Amino acid sequence: MSTQDRYPVARPCLSDLEERYLVDAYRSGWISSQGPYLQKFEEQFAARCGAAAAVATGNGTVALHLVLAAAGIGPGDEVIVPALTYVATANAVTYCGARPVFVDVSPQSWCIDVEQVAASVGPRTRAVIAVDLYGHPADYAALRELCERHGLLLVADAAESFGALLNGRPTGDLGNATTFSFFGNKVITAGEGGCVTTSDTALAERMRLLRNQGMDPRRRYFFPVVGFNYRLTNLAAALLCAQLERADEIIGRRDAVVATYERELADAPLLFPQPVVPGVRRAPWMASFLVGPPGAAGQRDELARALDTLGVETRPFFVPIPDLPPYAHAAGDHPVTADLSRRGINLPTYAELTDVDLKVIVDRVRTALAGVTGHR
């Protein structure tokens, strides 16, 4: 099928500005992990997020690991994470030798359930990772109060929520540290890349040390600690500087895409939009819907197959982490996670979708829904 006939679920929004900055970085010779675009990106990204510092990394997964490692989390420690998230959240804990403790998510926000976090805090708990699932910030006011009371590190996994606001505050300084991903399907992207923002200057300094193989910044090739090669390249930073300049434009168009789906499919049978808690401006990462009533099984997959036949790519919600073989030993019941995972679907969401494209996709969704079991 041609591009007009088939719509991918995600696509980066790139312009002449990205090309110009990338070529400039290339011609400068600064193509590796030093260069002016790196410094510029870290300064501008920290300012955008309202944080004191930004530490750029090779991707969002190592950003998570870097925070935990810099905080000294290791074997014998426990870190509370939501059961519904991308596997990287749990993997970063495992890399440290610590144990992820899974709790359910809230049906009102799809983010980590604060009451269940409180019930899961034990003598080995060192941190909580809250995930801004599908662009919706978690309840950071309640989580910060809880973590401060117990002396826990609060990490915000904002891989999906760049551009979100919580009571007017941007994602990036709502926890002790916040991690971002710039993978190709994210709101802003460099293909790969990540970042940690924090207002804890000591934590930022420790992360910079560990990011660069543990090399002492005042004594070249002297390594006081075992570190990692978690650096971002100047080429990737050049792309991100351009994306940051265009961020409001990209977010605005993606907002319009999600709003169009929710408006035009408001009366569609078996389709329920992502809930948004008062005070939240979610990031328009993916247009997210639930298919069928609570407890339904199979209708989401039936809809996805029908849409694929019609040229509309979709993606299902994440598989619950405790259902994955590496974490199958995890105890606990997570009914909200299980239900959302069975019913959740993402529709194509990217800035280059025109109003005509959206009308075509909406029409195809309605056609596909007409054939789903339970609506015939």
Side-chain angles (χ1 to χ4, degrees):
M1 290 183 175
S2 69
T3 304
Q4 285 185 318
D5 290 332
R6 186 160 190 88
Y7 294 96
V9 74
R11 184 176 180 177
C13 181
L14 303 174
S15 72
D16 292 343
L17 185 64
E18 283 82 359
E19 182 179 10
R20 188 161 75 249
Y21 283 8
L22 186 60
V23 170
D24 181 57
Y26 167 78
R27 289 177 174 168
S28 75
W30 293 102
I31 65 170
S32 191
S33 54
Q34 295 185 49
Y37 282 106
L38 272 166
Q39 181 178 353
K40 179 181 177 182
F41 169 70
E42 288 186 334
E43 291 174 353
Q44 292 183 347
F45 195 76
R48 171 100 190 195
C49 294
V55 180
T57 63
N59 59 61
T61 304
V62 301
L64 280 165
H65 182 218
L66 187 63
V67 173
L68 299 177
I73 290 170
D77 295 333
E78 294 180 348
V79 178
I80 297 172
V81 301
L84 186 61
T85 179
Y86 184 55
V87 70
T89 312
N91 285 350
V93 177
T94 305
Y95 298 160
C96 294
R99 185 173 80 91
V101 175
F102 300 105
V103 302
D104 210 351
V105 297
S106 163
Q108 285 77 37
S109 67
W110 301 353
C111 297
I112 197 165
D113 188 306
V114 179
E115 290 185 2
Q116 293 203 26
V117 173
S120 299
V121 173
R124 294 181 179 274
T125 307
R126 290 285 310 283
V128 175
I129 303 179
V131 178
D132 298 344
L133 198 69
Y134 298 113
H136 191 297
D139 186 352
Y140 286 103
L143 286 167
R144 287 195 82 141
E145 190 278 328
L146 177 80
C147 288
E148 287 171 4
R149 182 161 22 105
H150 291 282
L152 306 177
L153 177 74
L154 176 57
V155 179
D157 182 344
E160 303 164 10
S161 68
F162 174 75
L165 299 174
L166 178 60
N167 296 320
R169 291 182 60 190
T171 301
D173 196 35
L174 301 175
N176 299 120
T178 305
T179 65
F180 293 87
S181 168
F182 306 122
F183 183 64
N185 65 12
K186 297 302 190 290
V187 175
I188 64 170
T189 181
E192 280 285 7
C195 195
V196 185
T197 55
T198 183
S199 290
D200 183 333
T201 54
L203 182 64
E205 183 178 353
R206 181 70 176 176
M207 287 191 290
R208 292 186 192 281
L209 173 70
L210 293 177
R211 174 185 65 174
N212 192 32
Q213 296 284 21
M215 186 167 68
D216 189 328
R218 292 167 293 276
R219 184 178 176 186
R220 292 186 69 188
Y221 303 114
F222 183 78
F223 302 88
V225 298
V226 175
F228 317 99
N229 180 0
Y230 282 177
R231 300 170 299 218
L232 186 73
T233 69
N234 194 54
L235 291 175
L239 285 172
L240 288 169
C241 285
Q243 290 270 284
L244 265 183
E245 286 187 34
R246 300 178 55 237
D248 291 336
E249 166 199 341
I250 294 169
I251 290 169
R253 182 55 196 166
R254 293 176 72 114
D255 271 334
V257 168
V258 175
T260 298
Y261 284 139
E262 293 186 346
R263 181 181 67 250
E264 297 300 322
L265 294 169
D267 63 344
L270 304 179
L271 210 59
F272 305 93
Q274 178 182 18
V276 179
V277 171
V280 165
R281 178 184 186 257
R282 69 185 155 173
W285 178 49
M286 289 271 180
S288 302
F289 292 83
L290 300 178
V291 183
Q299 292 177 328
R300 187 272 312 278
D301 294 339
E302 192 176 352
L303 175 62
R305 287 191 296 269
L307 283 171
D308 185 61
T309 300
L310 293 170
V312 177
E313 183 186 12
T314 62
R315 53 179 276 173
F317 279 17
F318 301 121
V319 175
I321 302 295
D323 288 355
L324 301 176
Y327 300 104
H329 60 278
D333 186 29
H334 312 102
V336 179
T337 290
D339 184 54
L340 295 177
S341 178
R342 283 193 300 264
R343 297 164 59 212
I345 194 170
N346 301 125
L347 297 179
T349 312
Y350 49 96
E352 292 177 350
L353 285 169
T354 67
D355 291 346
V356 173
D357 292 328
L358 291 171
K359 183 179 186 308
V360 171
I361 294 171
V362 166
D363 288 345
R364 292 179 185 180
V365 171
R366 288 186 175 278
T367 298
L369 280 168
V372 172
T373 302
H375 178 60
R376 294 192 183 102

